[in-house]
Amino acid sequence: MRQTWIFLVAGLLLCALVSVLPTVGAQSARLLGSSVPRGFLVDEPPSGRLVEDTFYLTQGIEVTKRLLPLQEGVRVHAAHLGPGLDIDADGVLVGTPTRAGTYSADVALCGVTSCAVQRVTAVVLRNVPWEPRVLTFPGRVGAAFDGEIAINGGPSGVPPTFSVTDYGALPDGVSIGPDGHVGGVPVASGVSEVPVRVCVAGNCAGVVVTLIVV
């Protein structure tokens, strides 16, 4: 009789476990979506698995940005992010946003045997024109530069970013940072024309910064 009760209880527990597992699997499937390969284990949603998970974009401006996992060997799977925006099979945010707004999607990050989810957000801003305002900076040999490349216009609350496209054009001892700060101490006189790419919410243009050292 005791064995009968043991088998009966074990059977009931097995039935309860079987009934729960599909629910857990369904919840995981809803969480991760169709981008997670079959047969992969599901980790808890991570925090900070991507170098950058929020992107500021401009309506009507084409974008190509690679999503960069913090760990090596992690693959970002394809997903739809918003109107005109997708993450392709190579983990690249591509497309041309067609409507302003904030759009988010859960994206699968997969290693060898398991996947996790990170929420990726695109903030699409209306196209507000901008133009450079300060591009010429005078200086003296042995004296520190302390200037800022400035722009007029652009969407409010979104700082521009700056990248030198030819570092060989910079005079010795001088640098231009990603925030547009011109710094450093020049060691020789001369005039330098430095090509710089300026981006405001994905709306980019090339400018020439002139450094005059006497």
Side-chain angles (χ1 to χ4, degrees):
M1 177 65 71
R2 179 174 299 177
Q3 286 184 332
T4 302
W5 275 106
I6 291 175
F7 288 130
L8 180 58
V9 172
L12 291 173
L13 290 175
L14 181 60
C15 291
L17 180 61
V18 170
S19 65
V20 169
L21 286 177
T23 302
V24 174
Q27 290 175 344
S28 298
R30 285 195 299 270
L31 179 65
L32 293 178
S34 59
S35 63
V36 176
R38 290 182 177 274
F40 275 60
L41 299 176
V42 179
D43 292 336
E44 290 296 321
S47 59
R49 291 286 185 92
L50 293 173
V51 173
E52 185 180 8
D53 60 12
T54 300
F55 301 90
Y56 290 89
L57 311 174
T58 296
Q59 183 180 2
I61 302 295
E62 185 178 6
V63 60
T64 302
K65 288 181 176 289
R66 181 173 296 278
L67 276 64
L68 299 175
L70 287 170
Q71 297 177 342
E72 294 184 1
V74 174
R75 179 182 176 186
V76 182
H77 283 260
H80 177 67
L81 188 53
L85 292 172
D86 292 284
I87 297 169
D88 67 15
D90 294 323
V92 179
L93 175 60
V94 294
T96 301
T98 59
R99 190 164 66 242
T102 300
Y103 307 97
S104 298
D106 289 328
V107 178
L109 310 178
C110 296
V112 178
T113 59
S114 65
C115 295
V117 168
Q118 176 123 7
R119 176 150 290 233
V120 175
T121 300
V123 180
V124 181
L125 304 169
R126 298 190 184 279
N127 195 334
V128 181
W130 63 268
E131 61 181 6
R133 179 162 55 90
V134 178
L135 292 176
T136 301
F137 300 89
R140 300 181 65 85
V141 174
F145 268 110
D146 186 17
E148 300 287 339
I149 304 173
I151 67 167
N152 286 330
S156 61
V158 180
T161 59
F162 305 84
S163 55
V164 176
T165 57
D166 181 8
Y167 283 96
L170 282 167
D172 290 342
V174 179
S175 64
I176 297 177
D179 58 354
H181 180 258
V182 181
V185 179
V187 298
S189 61
V191 177
S192 301
E193 295 185 336
V194 184
V196 176
R197 182 173 173 83
V198 185
C199 292
V200 184
N203 188 2
C204 302
V207 300
V208 175
V209 175
T210 302
L211 304 174
I212 304 173
V213 182
V214 296

